């Protein structure tokens, strides 16, 4: 099942993935749609933070109820997910994704963290060092990640 922010995820029953990664006010490609479908077909529940009715004019403030709800949905489901996949779109800066990766590593949300960081991402070197130091699987593409996951599940 695919859960999109701000939907309730309380009926998630299967092993789950949270799709953390580049959105950047719509600048990033909508990579979540295809990856969510792939993971769902593989038998996983998916938490997709890319909100269908997001309005980029909303003030990103604690006092904005829509923004507050969005950030809390993301934090709650990052904690709840069995797996987190981080995607760094090379055409973005993705400061929130960098922050969430650091948070996931520091708080041990889950032992299953996967990072997809194509060549061209401006901080790829930092990502490579973090993944090496904390023994996190690093992939160059979404296709490489899904191929590895399919092979892992077929063993």
């Amino acid at each position: 099942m695919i859960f999109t922010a701000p939907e309730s995820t309380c009926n998630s029953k299967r092993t789950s993935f949270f799709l953390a990664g580049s959105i950047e006010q719509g600048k990033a490609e909508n990579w979540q749609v295809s990856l969510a479908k792939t993971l769902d077909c593989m038998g996983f529940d998916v938490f997709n933070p890319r909100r269908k009715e997001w309005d980029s004019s909303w003030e990103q403030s604690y006092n904005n109820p829509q923004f507050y709800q969005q950030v809390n949905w993301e934090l709650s489901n990052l904690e709840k997910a069995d797996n987190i996949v981080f995607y760094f779109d090379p055409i973005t800066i993705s400061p929130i994704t960098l922050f969430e990766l650091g948070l996931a590593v520091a708080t041990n949300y889950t032992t299953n963290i996967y990072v997809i960081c194509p060549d061209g991402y401006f901080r790829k070197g930092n990502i490579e060092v973090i993944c090496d130091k904390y023994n996190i699987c690093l992939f160059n593409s979404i296709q490489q990640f899904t191929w590895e996951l399919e092979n892992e599940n077929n063993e």
Side-chain angles (χ1 to χ4, degrees):
M1 182 170 254
I2 300 170
F3 301 93
T4 304
E7 297 172 337
S8 171
T9 60
C10 65
N11 58 346
S12 175
K13 303 275 190 268
R14 305 180 295 178
T15 301
S16 59
F17 273 86
F18 185 96
L19 304 183
S22 301
I23 296 176
E24 208 159 306
Q25 298 291 344
K27 182 177 181 181
E29 66 171 303
N30 193 345
W31 60 273
Q32 294 92 342
V33 170
S34 61
L35 183 54
K37 287 178 186 173
T38 299
L39 292 170
D40 182 43
C41 288
M42 292 171 71
F44 299 108
D45 281 340
V46 181
F47 307 139
N48 180 358
R50 194 181 280 248
R51 191 175 180 141
K52 294 173 186 167
E53 73 285 349
W54 182 258
D55 182 342
S56 61
S57 70
W58 288 342
E59 181 182 7
Q60 293 191 21
S61 165
Y62 176 87
N63 295 319
N64 179 323
Q66 292 92 351
F67 178 76
Y68 185 86
Q69 176 190 46
Q70 178 72 26
V71 174
N72 270 303
W73 186 94
E74 292 178 24
L75 292 171
S76 295
N77 287 296
L78 277 164
E79 291 175 3
K80 179 181 179 178
D82 300 303
N83 304 279
I84 304 171
V85 59
F86 290 90
Y87 174 69
F88 292 89
D89 188 322
I91 66 166
T92 67
I93 296 172
S94 300
I96 301 303
T97 305
L98 288 167
F99 167 75
E100 288 174 342
L101 176 59
L103 189 62
V105 169
T107 60
N108 288 322
Y109 281 153
T110 177
T111 56
N112 300 313
I113 297 173
Y114 305 91
V115 174
I116 304 165
C117 189
D119 291 338
Y121 181 68
F122 87 117
R123 291 288 184 242
K124 184 163 184 167
N126 294 80
I127 300 298
E128 290 170 328
V129 172
I130 289 168
C131 290
D132 180 61
K133 180 167 179 61
Y134 295 101
N135 200 29
I136 297 170
C137 294
L138 175 62
F139 302 93
N140 286 316
S141 68
I142 292 172
Q143 295 78 14
Q144 182 190 23
F145 165 70
T146 55
W147 184 84
E148 289 285 335
L149 191 60
E150 286 171 349
N151 286 337
E152 186 179 293
N153 283 342
N154 291 330
E155 291 178 357

